[in-house]
Amino acid sequence: MAPLFETCGGTGFLPRGIVMAIGWGKSYEEQMEEANQRASEAKRNREPRLPAEDRVRLQRLESLKLSRSRVLAQLERASIPAHREMLMKGLQAIEKETEELSEPEAEHE
């Protein structure tokens, strides 16, 4: 009876009839180079970047939007009056800051 496993170049055993792949096609370096080329090409083709100040403002607005939805969800479940009052004050503060950040830049100067 033939053995179920054969040695594989002294590195281990493979089930009989299984052939180990020698290569994966492209080398790792070629794949990384292609990925870097695609990334730099995409970077060149995208729209002009917003000034840092505007990016920070938009990120803050997005954060406030998420905070507002979280506070509203908590407010729906809150039953203790003091907790509801605290959540309402937080919601008012979030809405005030959102309004201030949403105003046109000309009004700030």
Side-chain angles (χ1 to χ4, degrees), residues 24-36:
W24 291 92
K26 294 183 180 181
S27 72
Y28 177 76
E29 289 81 14
E30 288 174 344
Q31 292 174 2
M32 290 303 294
E33 185 177 329
E34 285 179 10
N36 287 337

Side-chain angles (χ1 to χ4, degrees), residues 7 14 36 57 72 76 85 91-92 98 105:
T7 59
L14 288 176
N36 287 337
R57 186 177 61 81
L72 284 172
E76 287 178 6
E85 184 180 340
L91 184 60
Q92 290 169 349
T98 300
E105 291 297 318

Side-chain angles (χ1 to χ4, degrees), residues 13-65:
F13 293 91
L14 288 176
R16 191 179 243 331
I18 300 295
V19 178
M20 181 178 274
I22 294 175
W24 291 92
K26 294 183 180 181
S27 72
Y28 177 76
E29 289 81 14
E30 288 174 344
Q31 292 174 2
M32 290 303 294
E33 185 177 329
E34 285 179 10
N36 287 337
Q37 286 174 351
R38 284 193 303 269
S40 64
E41 190 174 305
K43 195 174 188 178
R44 275 185 255 121
N45 292 337
R46 73 175 175 208
E47 295 179 21
R49 293 183 64 145
L50 289 173
E53 203 172 275
D54 289 343
R55 276 197 321 271
V56 168
R57 186 177 61 81
L58 291 174
Q59 289 171 346
R60 181 64 183 151
L61 281 169
E62 185 65 25
S63 176
L64 288 167
K65 181 180 173 185

